[in-house]
Amino acid sequence: MLRAAGCHLRSVLAVHEAVGSSSGSSTVSLDGIRSVTTSSYWQRIMTPASVTPRPSEGGEKPEPKPELVEQYLSTSMLPRREQHRLQLREVIKEFQRFPGDVGSSEVQVARLTRKIHDLAEHLKVHRKDHSSRRGLQGLLSQRRSLLQYLRRSNFDTYAMTISKLGLKDNYAQNDRFTVRYKPLVRASAHA
């Protein structure tokens, strides 16, 4: 096969010389070379990239596709880290008391909840990532302490925050006697 390609190339070069010498100039007519070559591979090689067909000035222009532009510029095309940053900004906007508030307890709890959710999704895929699991436990304890403070100081805000986040009310102060040594109350004993 290489021999055939070499012979074909020699014949193309011979035509190249013949076309160049007959025209009196050193430039080669691409049409002359295309007429001799039958292989589509050699036609692609011999055709320069600038000879690609262009739409004529009076011809139809391609229709714009705004849905492709929207898809390309959508947030789903961003890197995952940027997607997480945008989600945290949205959470902050939802829970802030006033514009620019990033330190109130509600905002901190909401941000921690979002981080916990993202880290839990990561740990579903990477089960053996123990350092991330330890980080998740730290975030959970930090959120627990913030929710206990919020419950203690402003119960209405606490109730609104946990309802928006979909959390359960498990953050009351429990001492060891109320939880462990609670006497069992049976429905049959009262009836």
Side-chain angles (χ1 to χ4, degrees), residues 15-29:
V15 168
H16 177 311
E17 290 174 8
V19 170
S21 63
S22 66
S23 65
S25 67
S26 61
T27 59
V28 178
S29 168

Side-chain angles (χ1 to χ4, degrees), residues 149-168:
Y149 165 75
L150 195 58
R151 188 175 204 275
R152 197 174 52 240
S153 62
N154 191 351
F155 189 79
D156 295 334
T157 308
Y158 167 80
M160 185 218 35
T161 303
I162 64 168
S163 66
K164 275 187 177 179
L165 293 173
L167 300 174
K168 296 178 184 175

Side-chain angles (χ1 to χ4, degrees), residues 15 34 47 55 62 79 82 91 133-134 149 190:
V15 168
R34 283 193 199 119
T47 305
E82 292 297 323
V91 166
R133 190 172 306 277
R134 186 162 188 257
Y149 165 75
H190 290 303

Side-chain angles (χ1 to χ4, degrees), residues 48-61:
S50 62
V51 183
T52 56
R54 295 184 180 179
S56 62
E57 294 297 322
E60 295 181 22
K61 293 182 180 178

Side-chain angles (χ1 to χ4, degrees), residues 9 30 33-34 37 39-49:
L9 182 59
L30 291 176
I33 293 175
R34 283 193 199 119
T37 60
S39 168
S40 62
Y41 172 73
W42 289 108
Q43 286 183 2
R44 280 192 311 239
I45 287 179
M46 299 305 278
T47 305

